[in-house]
Amino acid sequence: MSAPTVAVLRSEDRSAPLASALAAAGAVPVLCPLIANQLPEEPAQRAAVRDELERLSEGTYAWVAFTSVSTVRALLALVPGEDESGVRPPPAIQLDVAAVTKVAAVGQATALALEACGVRVDLVPHSEHSARGLLAEWPLLEDTGAAQVLLPAADLASPLLRDGLLERGWRPSDVLAYRTVDAPGDPALLLSGPVPGHDEVSAPATARHLEPGELAEALVAGTLDAAVLTSPSTARRVVHLLAGRPSATGFIAIGARTAREARAHGLRVDAVAASTDPAGLVGALAARDGAAPERKQS
């Protein structure tokens, strides 16, 4: 029996750990980044993030919530500022969060990144690693004088956490930390470099590579065993590439929100990963294997 081929569609800077985990589990990863994460283009937007970082260091906020590893990396990239030539300096290695401010992380990968930056993490949801999971375990507001919450996030982030906190009496302030764009993105603004707290991993030598057009044809023909959707924006990008054609390939979604988005657009979701790390996705692939239809031979 041949090794299953699994398409990894997440941004290039985040695909290697998942590809390596799939290879270790006996699969052949097929890399085709459909999205990219980059800093905001406008200097005023980047300046707004730096202003919030200063307020964070001064203890203005009672809480700050990090809903992805990419958010941590974006804030690190903006800590030093730009020199007069506009050249972006290397990312910082520390985030300055006041001792009075409590910190929430969406999952263990984000918590590890924060701890590597010298930030103590006070809340990681035990059940669902998502904005919904954070909201479900967020503490009750006891002091209305200490109700400010900073929510740095991507441009496509769900408003669920912000709206839920508002309903409970908190005063959330969101700030644009990074943008999700179609790959390959602007090289000058791309989030790059190793993820704090995580070993730097290279894509395995067994990995194959496809261009987006080739990926679409493979999905339609069913010559892949599965494809991984790591975000709602990735699901939407797949739908755009398919251009109305049905995919004969089933998908593994990371999180309930991604699964809902994929299904809403008519994509077949064969499994939903229980956690956002590579092990969770590999586990979802293993759980799916017994029920997945046989792929077509190319």
Side-chain angles (χ1 to χ4, degrees), residues 17-297:
L18 175 54
S20 295
L22 287 169
V28 176
V30 180
L31 305 183
C32 182
L34 296 184
I35 61 170
N37 297 322
Q38 63 183 41
L39 298 176
E41 296 95 333
E42 298 297 326
Q45 293 174 323
R46 299 195 291 273
V49 176
R50 295 191 187 100
D51 289 343
E52 294 297 350
L53 284 170
E54 184 173 350
R55 298 180 71 199
L56 190 61
S57 70
E58 293 170 349
T60 300
Y61 290 100
W63 279 86
V64 56
F66 294 87
T67 54
S68 71
V69 168
S70 294
T71 302
V72 180
R73 298 172 74 209
L75 296 192
L76 287 173
L78 290 168
V79 166
E82 296 168 343
D83 63 24
E84 293 180 357
S85 67
V87 176
R88 183 154 55 104
I93 57 173
Q94 297 284 304
L95 283 176
D96 188 2
V97 177
V100 297
T101 301
K102 292 187 176 181
V103 178
V106 73
Q108 291 298 336
T110 304
L112 281 173
L114 286 166
E115 289 163 357
C117 298
V119 177
R120 181 200 69 254
V121 177
D122 301 283
L123 172 63
V124 179
H126 293 91
S127 53
E128 184 178 339
H129 293 166
S130 67
R132 188 184 303 275
L134 269 178
L135 187 59
E137 299 185 33
W138 200 272
L140 296 175
L141 177 60
E142 298 179 351
D143 179 4
T144 56
Q148 292 196 75
V149 182
L150 179 62
L151 301 176
D155 57 331
L156 301 181
S158 166
L160 188 147
L161 181 58
R162 180 196 64 206
D163 293 349
L165 290 174
L166 271 172
E167 290 174 1
R168 300 178 186 191
W170 295 89
R171 297 196 301 275
S173 299
D174 42 17
V175 62
L176 176 63
Y178 69 98
R179 295 186 64 238
T180 301
V181 299
D182 290 348
D186 183 343
L189 297 171
L190 289 177
L191 299 185
S192 60
V195 176
H198 297 259
D199 293 334
E200 192 166 0
V201 178
S202 299
T206 55
R208 291 166 44 195
H209 299 264
L210 289 179
E211 294 297 321
E214 296 172 325
L215 171 72
E217 296 303 323
L219 292 174
V220 171
T223 54
L224 295 168
D225 288 284
V228 178
L229 300 174
T230 53
S231 66
S233 55
T234 306
R236 292 190 292 270
R237 185 83 172 97
V238 167
V239 171
H240 176 76
L241 287 173
L242 290 172
R245 296 173 294 173
S247 172
T249 303
F251 295 87
I252 300 171
I254 181 169
R257 182 175 171 231
T258 299
R260 287 193 297 270
E261 184 76 16
R263 288 171 174 143
H265 287 285
L267 301 180
R268 190 185 84 233
V269 177
D270 290 338
V272 180
S275 63
T276 60
D277 56 15
L281 290 166
V282 170
L285 174 65
R288 177 216 68 130
D289 279 345
E294 233 179 87
R295 65 170 171 151
K296 298 176 185 177
Q297 295 300 315

